[in-house]
Amino acid sequence: MRIAVIRFPGTNCETETIEAVRRAGGAAQLIDYRETSLGGCDGVILPGGFSYGDYLRSGAIARFAPVMQPIKALADTGGIVIGICNGFQVLCEAHLLPGALLHNAAQRFSSRPVDIRIERADLAVTREFAEGECIRIPQAHGEGRYVADAETVAALEADRHVVLRYVSVPGSDMPHNPNGSVADIAGICNPAGNVIGFMPHPERLADPVLGSDAGHRFFTSLVQAGAVEMTG
Amino acid sequence: MSHETRPTALPGEPPVTEELVRDHKLTDSEYTAIRSLLGDRTPTLTELGIFSALWSEHCSYKHTKPVLRRFPTTGPQVLQGPGENAGVLSLPDGWAVAFKIESHNHPTAVEPYQGAATGVGGILRDVFTMGARPVALLNSLRFGPLDDPRNRYLFAGAVRGVGDYGNCMGVPTLGGEVQFAPCYAGNPLVNAMAVGVLRADDLITARAHGVGNLLINVGASTGRDGIHGASFASEDLSAESEARRPQVQVGDPFTEKLLLEASLELIESGIIVAIQDMGAAGLTSSSAEMAARGGVGVELDTSLVPTREAGMTPYEIMLSESQERMLVVAEPHQVEAIQAICRKWEQDATVVGRVTDDGLFRIVHHGQLVASIPGQPLVDGCPVYHPDAAEGPEAVARRAATPGAPDVDPEEALRRLLDAPSIASKRWVFEQYDGTVRGRSVATPGGDAGIVRVDDTDFGIAMTVDCNARHVLLDPFEGGKGVVAEAARNIACTGARPLGITDCLNFGNPERPEVFFQFVEACRGISEACEAFGTPVTGGNVSLYNQSPTGAIDPTPTVGMIGLLDDVRHAVPSTFRQVGDAILLIGTTRGHLGGSAYWAEVLDAVVGPPPPIDLPRERAVQEILIAAAAKGWLGSAHDLSDGGLAVALTECCIGGPWATVTFGADIDLARHADAVSDHGWLFGEDAGRVLLSCSPEHVSALQALAAMHGESAHYLGLVGEPEGDVVVRRDDRRWSWPSRDLRRIHLDAIPRRMSVPVLAGES
Amino acid sequence: MMFRVHVRVTPRPGLLDPQGTAVEHALHALGFAGVGGVRVGRAVDFALEAADEAAANADATRMCERLLANPVTETFTVAVES
Amino acid sequence: MMFRVHVRVTPRPGLLDPQGTAVEHALHALGFAGVGGVRVGRAVDFALEAADEAAANADATRMCERLLANPVTETFTVAVES
Ligand SMILES: Nc1ncnc2c1ncn2[C@@H]1O[C@H](COP(=O)(O)OP(=O)(O)O)[C@@H](O)[C@H]1O
Ligand SMILES: [Mg+2]
């Protein structure tokens, strides 16, 4: 699988995201938001950053960029589309995922590690984890409070579309939920499981040189998923 | 363009009267100098504005030049010293680091959010103007006490502004400091530092040359923002200056991110001659300084500059401080290539002038010549002043004084120290700053210094900003040395070697002898320390007139230091990691309480001489840390600063900002420095001391290493159980605190105070 | 014809509005006891060239539906003046 | 008496409004060519208990001056309805 990493004006996590994919043995390519095709890539990551400065609402303007057309098409045909942080916000604004991400409940930007539980270990970015496994990776956002109406949330839970959840670990004196997301939701997927969005940043902690590579397996999973797809 | 030689006033433009001259903060003698420079004619309004900007303290350094010249600025590692937008030091494998610190104090006093945000935007431009990609930010903040709602408002707004700008730019903030003291209530300080990396051979400087080359305005269009910002930054804050407040500069980090990418691509493509950001005094200083550096003239046509508002005059266009703008010099045949790159990043690129051979700084507006000034003297012809410097009697008295209040029981005293916002954890602050974007952060805020890995190499850049203004106030010379010494200690604690500094000299009104004495002496102290450590000054920024109706601020010469860590895998954390590790103290304890945080925060007395700084011994301590880290002997290393041993031991035990365990500790001070008082031992701030932890088998090796450098590593005790007590014994005395309680106090001090609402209005 | 358009975008009723709650607490703390049910949203003002007021209204409404408001979380009102 | 108060807080004229600019560009890109001078601010709605409309107005204005608007960078308008 070849991963298209999308750059909108204001995207700022594209470099480390591409590096993380390559470190996991995958192929990644930077794609400009003005493109109308994915240049032969069969997977997409919408990386973090501040597309269009997060003006109006994060992801609200990026949603209309030309590149979103081929991305929607890929998603509709079951192709893998991942949104990290700002990418997650774009996917919600584009209605490829339900709900919305609003300003953190504390009304402050929150940059710190979060403890998250892997709720689904059968998806493109989680297959290298065990279900229920907890890891600590960085998170940094001002608009990460996931909200959706009661029915939507109930459906997400019932259909197990919650992929990552904030959990509290003993001894931590930070609120385990950094932004007030409903049901401690940190990441979700669409019914088919091929469109996945989450707020934390595994790509920022995917290299042992930094003291931990807790995020590395998101990308080995992704590369695995690609391999399986090709053989199977 | 224009062929007239004598500039004329525009229709409807006010005549230049003595009053108007005074309005522009130019003295009679300066005005006389200007007239003779112009061949004894009266300047036009535009010319007057240009002079007032470039001859302001902020741009001309007219009070400080002679003092700054004494800084050591050379060394084998220096690729670019003072005089450019940022200093540059060489790193291994052909890499280099560009870094600079700058103040945005007055704008922050007026509008904290935008003032702080545009401060960060400005310092980032200084760094990428050199061809460096910004990889880290730091910030040094000073505010009045948090019990006052106005101070909470300024603090909260500035922190949000610093965060929002850097976060949107995708540059991690890896360090800083925050202090609170009454003297900053009317005059908060916001100093922002940016660090960038580049390939040494991509280094580009801001020198215009090549007669006939074009000047190109890149980036945002020009509005009436911050007109007179430069002279505004050079006067005391008063009710009257509030009234004459310039249009607030609004930052647009989104545009700056695109401008950053466009600028770096322009530089890498090699199609431009020079590039310079438009900071204070915008187009005026950028064009005049580029011309002067290159020894050429320039002619600008202000009617070509893209403006945000209709009907802007050349005066306004030349003095506007609209953000996110760059000035590029290029050969005419490159203009289209330049515009193509700018279009890719959605930035305007407009030709606004050309390089000339007559050495004149000429401004044309719709064909009319409105300014014609000899370029060189315009930039460095401002009269230089040598103010009187004399220590004030109250300063002498302060240094000689001792606290009136009796000592406070050590267990209670430590709790109060940890609850003092200046000493407490700054987690509430740096949690609002993205610390991990770019995926190269080896050490985020919370330790002694931040560390960022250079691209995919093994080495990293360590960085810190420090200033103990209380020590500088009590003894500017020793305090000045101390600022550099603490910064170097912070760098060395991570295992990195100090390479060089940038400084931000925040002082009061230099025309007051007691203030200028502080300035001269602090600079002398900084110079001596930099000489001793081999860490040259590569640039910096002077902010004077930090003077509110309530008086001058404490002298605050903030130092930003850069260090090199050969292998980021050997980075040493600042907190204990392992039960049973040995705790060692490097350095000599004399129980020096003068100028200490204990006296200031607990006994409410900012008095006494600050600790003397022994530079050779500081250097020795640095060498010990660097060697021990390289050998992998250190579990942790943390320098002793505010609050002395008790606070440092606490910080080592309670863990970093996100830790889930605290450690107990059991140390015994008996048989060490017996003559020292209990409070001196616990809270004294003798310099050159570091608290280490290491696995027991390395103790003797560490002690031998220390001895080899003429220092001693005193064995104090052991790291205790998780969630255990912090115990300090001395002969028949025993003090103890539950480590979890100490952590709670340290972490809650600021959030508790900030949970009270902050006001937007009533500024 | 040129019109001035004033758009208000507010959080859907029932949706939690922490900013509104924080502002309400702050107002109470400042002694404004009579305040309740504070909701904080967005105000968007602009000039709009349109054939007539009805057309301006229709355009502005489309803008809200497509960009200015997020139907999942927000409601909007449009006011047009000439 | 209970009143409903609608406050609009907008960036001062002449001040750069990057958000407004971004929204304007987006609207143009979506084909809304007739839009110009977009300014984005805050809308604050609340209920207010006051003696009469004049008092409600005065209270709301004080709230804007003290908390809801930043006098350095923003202007505000207050609309009261009963
Ligand atoms: N404004 C700030 N921004 C980022 N980090 C900060 C800020 N203020 C303090 N810190 C971080 O908090 C930690 C403690 O600060 P400080 O007590 O000044 O350290 P030190 O005493 O070692 O200089 C350091 O890691 C510092 O980088
Ligand atoms: Mg300190």
Side-chain angles (χ1 to χ4, degrees):
Chain A
M1 178 163 58
R2 190 172 179 76
I3 304 288
V5 175
I6 311 300
R7 177 167 65 196
F8 300 100
T11 295
N12 61 31
C13 301
E14 66 273 31
T15 310
E16 57 268 39
T17 302
I18 289 172
E19 286 171 354
V21 172
R22 292 181 180 158
R23 205 179 290 114
Q29 172 184 346
L30 188 64
I31 298 284
D32 184 86
Y33 69 103
R34 284 161 288 210
E35 298 291 338
T36 51
S37 97
L38 296 174
C41 295
D42 46 7
V44 168
I45 298 180
L46 297 159
F50 289 69
S51 58
Y52 296 89
D54 272 2
Y55 292 138
L56 197 63
R57 302 178 307 274
S58 54
I61 301 179
R63 161 197 172 192
F64 294 105
V67 75
M68 290 306 291
Q69 288 314 322
I71 291 174
K72 280 204 181 76
L74 182 71
D76 294 343
T77 56
I80 291 170
V81 177
I82 310 296
I84 304 175
C85 196
N86 189 236
F88 184 17
Q89 294 160 338
V90 174
L91 290 176
C92 289
E93 281 283 340
H95 307 305
L96 286 168
L97 288 172
L101 292 145
L102 304 185
H103 282 280
N104 299 347
Q107 303 303 310
R108 288 194 305 275
F109 192 91
S110 169
S111 166
R112 57 159 168 106
V114 281
D115 300 294
I116 51 172
R117 187 170 61 226
I118 312 292
E119 301 284 50
R120 286 276 301 269
D122 58 341
L123 297 173
V125 288
T126 57
R127 58 176 57 226
E128 298 273 295
F129 293 91
E131 189 173 314
E133 192 176 347
C134 291
I135 60 169
R136 173 174 275 212
I137 56 175
Q139 151 252 223
H141 58 254
E143 297 175 44
R145 177 166 54 101
Y146 183 78
V147 300
D149 55 57
E151 307 79 79
T152 309
V153 175
L156 285 171
E157 297 286 10
D159 307 339
R160 302 195 57 245
H161 294 161
V162 177
V163 179
L164 305 175
R165 211 186 294 267
Y166 303 111
V167 291
S168 61
V169 298
S172 170
D173 48 20
M174 317 172 268
H176 71 282
N177 177 337
N179 48 38
S181 289
V182 59
D184 295 333
I185 289 172
I188 59 173
C189 65
N190 66 343
N194 63 309
V195 179
I196 306 166
F198 46 87
M199 291 310 296
H201 282 284
E203 79 281 7
R204 297 185 182 186
L205 203 59
D207 187 340
V209 167
L210 302 179
S212 160
D213 63 350
H216 183 54
R217 277 182 288 161
F218 279 77
F219 300 93
T220 51
S221 297
L222 190 56
V223 173
Q224 278 301 318
V228 171
E229 215 165 63
M230 280 170 215
T231 56
Chain B
M1 295 193 173
S2 161
H3 301 295
E4 311 146 53
T5 56
R6 195 184 173 82
T8 49
L10 289 162
E13 181 171 288
V16 171
T17 60
E18 281 182 10
E19 190 193 356
L20 198 60
V21 170
R22 252 178 273 109
D23 241 36
H24 281 72
K25 299 271 172 276
L26 289 162
T27 66
D28 296 353
S29 62
E30 285 164 355
Y31 184 59
T32 315
I34 289 169
R35 285 190 57 98
S36 63
L37 249 177
L38 297 174
D40 219 26
R41 73 173 162 81
T42 305
T44 64
L45 179 66
T46 308
E47 289 174 324
L48 184 65
I50 288 169
F51 273 105
S52 77
L54 288 177
W55 286 19
S56 68
E57 184 63 50
H58 189 84
C59 293
S60 71
Y61 293 87
K62 55 191 166 190
H63 286 96
T64 60
K65 253 187 205 162
V67 178
L68 300 179
R69 275 204 202 92
R70 298 186 210 128
F71 280 141
T73 60
T74 57
Q77 71 273 47
V78 177
L79 296 181
Q80 177 61 60
E84 278 289 342
N85 291 289
V88 182
L89 301 174
S90 65
L91 297 173
D93 309 343
W95 291 94
V97 56
F99 64 110
K100 174 100 184 297
I101 190 168
E102 190 142 275
S103 67
H104 233 217
N105 304 336
H106 283 58
T108 301
V110 173
E111 210 302 291
Y113 178 81
Q114 294 297 345
T118 51
V120 172
I123 198 60
L124 284 167
R125 282 193 298 283
D126 276 333
V127 162
F128 67 74
T129 298
M130 306 298 294
R133 174 168 294 275
V135 296
L137 285 162
L138 303 91
N139 60 111
S140 171
L141 310 176
R142 298 286 188 285
F143 299 92
L146 289 179
D147 46 23
D148 176 332
R150 176 68 185 166
N151 295 335
R152 288 200 298 275
Y153 168 69
L154 291 169
F155 173 52
V159 167
R160 202 160 49 83
V162 166
D164 283 0
Y165 207 106
N167 297 345
C168 187
M169 287 292 289
V171 180
T173 295
L174 296 184
E177 53 166 6
V178 191
Q179 301 285 308
F180 303 89
C183 67
Y184 302 110
N187 200 129
L189 302 185
V190 169
N191 296 177
M193 172 172 165
V195 179
V197 298
L198 66 156
R199 299 296 303 170
D201 40 28
D202 289 342
L203 178 56
I204 180 169
T205 57
R207 280 174 172 58
H209 46 73
V211 173
N213 283 346
L214 300 179
L215 272 56
I216 304 168
N217 180 112
V218 173
S221 55
T222 298
R224 294 194 165 94
D225 321 9
I227 289 174
H228 267 166
S231 41
F232 182 74
S234 307
E235 61 181 273
D236 298 4
L237 275 186
S238 65
E240 170 245 10
S241 74
E242 286 282 317
R244 300 200 337 11
R245 172 195 295 157
Q247 180 79 272
V248 172
Q249 311 158 31
V250 172
D252 180 3
F254 169 58
T255 294
E256 174 128 323
K257 169 75 164 113
L258 299 174
L259 187 61
L260 156 70
E261 300 300 340
S263 302
L264 290 182
E265 191 168 331
L266 286 173
I267 293 165
E268 278 154 23
S269 69
I271 62 178
I272 63 173
V273 170
I275 181 168
Q276 159 88 49
D277 72 298
M278 300 194 208
L283 191 51
T284 294
S285 56
S286 54
S287 55
E289 282 166 14
M290 272 215 278
R293 288 202 197 98
V296 293
V298 294
E299 178 168 276
L300 286 166
D301 185 340
T302 41
S303 40
L304 298 177
V305 175
T307 57
R308 211 166 70 222
E309 295 162 71
M312 286 183 67
T313 64
Y315 178 98
E316 292 172 321
I317 292 167
M318 290 308 294
L319 295 184
S320 163
E321 295 191 347
S322 291
Q323 301 291 300
E324 293 92 26
R325 300 180 300 161
M326 306 287 273
L327 189 64
V328 167
V329 179
E331 296 169 9
H333 69 274
Q334 300 287 18
V335 170
E336 269 168 26
I338 288 165
Q339 286 171 331
I341 289 175
C342 290
R343 215 174 300 117
K344 170 178 168 193
W345 297 104
E346 302 183 352
Q347 297 302 296
D348 288 335
T350 315
V351 173
V352 296
R354 58 189 178 90
V355 177
T356 58
D357 59 2
D358 56 12
L360 289 176
F361 185 71
R362 289 156 55 87
I363 310 298
V364 177
H365 195 68
H366 292 299
Q368 177 181 352
L369 183 70
V370 295
S372 176
I373 308 169
Q376 205 66 41
L378 170 62
V379 170
D380 41 42
C382 177
V384 170
Y385 299 93
H386 303 269
D388 301 337
E391 185 165 43
E394 65 291 333
V396 178
R398 231 190 271 112
R399 188 160 56 241
T402 54
D407 272 320
V408 170
D409 160 69
E411 293 187 351
E412 170 61 16
L414 176 57
R415 287 192 169 83
R416 282 203 229 163
L417 274 170
L418 298 177
D419 186 56
S422 293
I423 293 179
S425 169
K426 307 306 188 298
R427 187 172 86 175
W428 185 90
V429 173
F430 57 75
E431 188 175 351
Q432 299 183 55
Y433 304 157
D434 193 332
T436 50
V437 61
R438 305 195 81 256
R440 286 152 171 69
S441 301
V442 175
T444 50
D448 283 289
I451 304 172
V452 67
R453 178 193 192 186
V454 174
D455 207 55
D456 56 0
T457 68
D458 288 341
F459 59 89
I461 301 166
M463 60 196 81
T464 182
V465 285
D466 287 285
C467 180
N468 188 323
R470 186 171 54 243
H471 289 180
V472 181
L473 172 73
L474 291 166
D475 182 336
F477 175 64
E478 286 301 324
K481 283 159 62 182
V483 169
V484 182
E486 183 182 352
R489 233 180 289 130
N490 283 328
I491 294 286
C493 278
T494 68
R497 175 174 298 282
L499 284 187
I501 75 159
T502 176
D503 62 74
C504 194
L505 307 172
N506 309 272
F507 287 80
N509 182 342
E511 294 149 49
R512 306 190 185 191
E514 71 278 11
V515 170
F516 201 65
F517 174 85
Q518 296 171 332
F519 183 84
V520 173
E521 285 296 286
C523 289
R524 190 165 65 87
I526 289 171
S527 296
E528 276 200 14
C530 286
E531 289 282 4
F533 300 160
T535 54
V537 178
T538 64
N541 165 253
V542 179
S543 171
L544 301 177
Y545 301 92
N546 291 289
Q547 192 92 27
S548 64
T550 55
I553 60 162
D554 292 351
T556 313
T558 308
V559 160
M561 183 178 278
I562 288 296
L564 171 65
L565 182 60
D566 293 329
D567 186 340
V568 293
R569 277 165 296 225
H570 293 159
V572 179
S574 67
T575 61
F576 294 155
R577 283 193 300 186
Q578 184 60 45
V579 179
D581 273 3
I583 301 171
L584 304 181
L585 177 65
I586 295 191
T588 308
T589 300
R590 296 195 178 76
H592 190 105
L593 285 164
S596 67
Y598 166 65
W599 279 9
E601 301 283 358
V602 180
L603 304 188
D604 193 26
V606 178
V607 296
I613 308 294
D614 180 332
L615 295 171
R617 301 198 70 164
E618 289 283 349
R619 181 78 190 251
V621 170
Q622 295 161 26
E623 296 299 336
I624 295 165
L625 289 164
I626 295 164
K631 293 222 186 308
W633 290 345
L634 299 179
S636 69
H638 185 35
D639 79 305
L640 274 60
S641 58
D642 299 308
L645 175 66
V647 167
L649 179 64
T650 301
E651 290 171 343
C652 289
C653 287
I654 66 178
W658 326 114
T660 53
V661 275
T662 62
F663 288 104
D666 196 331
I667 67 171
D668 188 345
L669 305 180
R671 295 185 318 284
H672 303 299
D674 295 333
V676 170
S677 74
D678 288 346
H679 285 83
W681 241 119
L682 290 165
F683 305 116
E685 294 180 11
D686 306 278
R689 296 185 304 162
V690 173
L691 198 62
L692 304 179
S693 70
C694 67
S695 84
E697 79 258 25
H698 292 134
V699 170
S700 50
L702 267 167
Q703 288 178 322
L705 174 67
M708 209 178 75
H709 288 87
E711 282 292 338
S712 40
H714 310 276
Y715 175 89
L716 296 186
L718 295 174
V719 176
E721 293 296 318
E723 307 301 314
D725 290 348
V726 179
V727 179
V728 179
R729 309 167 191 276
R730 193 174 189 210
D731 306 327
D732 60 341
R733 276 94 70 211
R734 179 180 184 280
W735 305 285
S736 120
W737 307 261
S739 55
R740 188 49 73 166
D741 290 0
L742 296 181
R743 179 175 173 91
R744 206 168 290 118
I745 297 169
H746 193 246
L747 281 164
D748 287 351
I750 289 176
R752 200 182 81 237
R753 290 167 170 88
M754 293 309 290
S755 61
V756 190
V758 299
L759 300 184
E762 303 185 331
S763 24
Chain C
M1 269 175 82
M2 190 58 88
F3 297 88
R4 290 228 40 85
V5 180
H6 305 283
V7 169
R8 295 181 81 85
V9 178
T10 36
R12 280 194 176 283
L15 184 76
L16 226 59
D17 176 17
Q19 189 180 6
T21 314
V23 169
E24 184 164 329
H25 288 151
L27 286 171
H28 289 162
L30 291 175
F32 297 103
V35 183
V38 178
R39 311 286 283 173
V40 180
R42 249 186 328 277
V44 186
D45 297 355
F46 50 87
L48 180 58
E49 179 62 47
D52 53 33
E53 185 153 342
N57 235 308
D59 276 5
T61 305
R62 284 291 294 140
M63 294 180 204
C64 292
E65 290 164 349
R66 292 209 63 196
L67 179 68
L68 301 181
N70 179 350
V72 178
T73 54
E74 297 167 329
T75 60
F76 62 87
T77 63
V78 171
V80 173
E81 64 188 43
S82 41
Chain D
M1 270 174 80
M2 189 59 88
F3 298 88
R4 291 230 35 90
V5 181
H6 305 284
V7 170
R8 294 180 82 84
V9 180
T10 37
R12 281 191 177 282
L15 265 201
L16 178 67
D17 176 17
Q19 180 159 227
T21 313
V23 170
E24 184 164 328
H25 288 156
L27 287 170
H28 289 162
L30 290 176
F32 298 102
V35 182
V38 177
R39 312 286 281 175
V40 179
R42 279 189 312 286
V44 186
D45 297 351
F46 50 88
L48 179 58
E49 177 64 46
D52 53 33
E53 184 152 342
N57 237 308
D59 275 7
T61 303
R62 274 303 285 151
M63 294 179 203
C64 291
E65 290 164 350
R66 293 200 63 192
L67 185 77
L68 302 181
N70 176 348
V72 183
T73 55
E74 298 170 326
T75 58
F76 61 86
T77 62
V78 171
V80 173
E81 62 188 44
S82 43

